[in-house]
Structures are given as structure tokens and as C-alpha cells.
Amino acid sequence: MASIITGLFKSQSQSQKISEDLERAGFRNSDYIVYLTDEGISKEVKASVWQSFFRDNRKLEDDSLVVSVKVRGPSSTEIVKEIFENEIDKK
């Protein structure tokens, strides 16, 4: 059974590195979505969407990045968590 892991990152500039790390770990492009947005979307709108999905009241910046990955089992879940945590630790 597949699950979805979603991560929130400070900047859209992180998208390329996260995509490369996921593909290097064996995930296909069709296994993940990188939600890049135009500058025209306000942080209030982004926060509203994030809060409605996750009931999480954190503040989002204009340049925030969201990535969702389909995982199949505990080993792929751990790989994604590690990739996300490594990218969060860098910023």
C-alpha cells in the first residue's frame, strides 16, 4: 500500500536538489510532486491551503516550497524522511 509524505521547505530554490536526491534514491519523477508557485501567490493563500490540509498553523513565507512523495513501505519512507531532514538542516 502506498502512502504520501509531504514536506515544507523554506525556499523554492531547494526544489532542484530535493528532486535530484529523490531520483538518486530510486524514486521516479512520477512518484513525487514539487509544488512550485508564481510569485503572485501570497503567503496568506499558501498558509490557508497548508492549514486546511494539515491543521498546522505555521507561518509560510512567499518562497515556501511543498514536496509530496508517494512511498511504498517502511524503507522508502525512511529514505524520504532522511532526504527531507537533510535539506531542512541545510537551511
Side-chain angles (χ1 to χ4, degrees):
M1 183 165 131
S3 298
I4 302 291
I5 296 178
T6 302
L8 174 65
F9 303 91
K10 281 191 181 263
S11 174
Q12 292 188 35
S13 65
Q14 295 170 275
S15 65
Q16 184 67 34
K17 175 77 168 81
I18 294 168
S19 296
E20 289 170 357
D21 289 348
L22 289 168
E23 290 185 16
R24 204 174 2 263
F27 291 91
R28 297 181 315 258
N29 187 277
S30 61
D31 291 330
Y32 65 92
I33 300 171
V34 176
Y35 299 91
L36 296 172
T37 60
D38 294 331
E39 291 180 31
I41 298 175
S42 72
K43 60 184 169 186
E44 291 81 16
V45 170
K46 289 180 186 182
S48 174
V49 171
W50 182 264
Q51 290 167 3
S52 71
F53 282 132
F54 300 108
R55 306 286 186 251
D56 181 352
N57 291 324
R58 80 182 65 224
K59 292 184 178 187
L60 302 183
E61 299 302 322
D62 287 335
D63 195 38
S64 295
L65 171 70
V66 176
V67 179
S68 295
V69 183
K70 180 169 50 175
V71 295
R72 295 173 187 87
S75 61
S76 59
T77 299
E78 287 305 312
I79 291 168
V80 171
K81 284 182 180 180
E82 185 176 313
I83 289 169
F84 282 9
E85 287 170 359
N86 285 341
E87 194 59 32
I88 290 169
D89 290 342
K90 291 178 185 176
K91 293 288 173 181

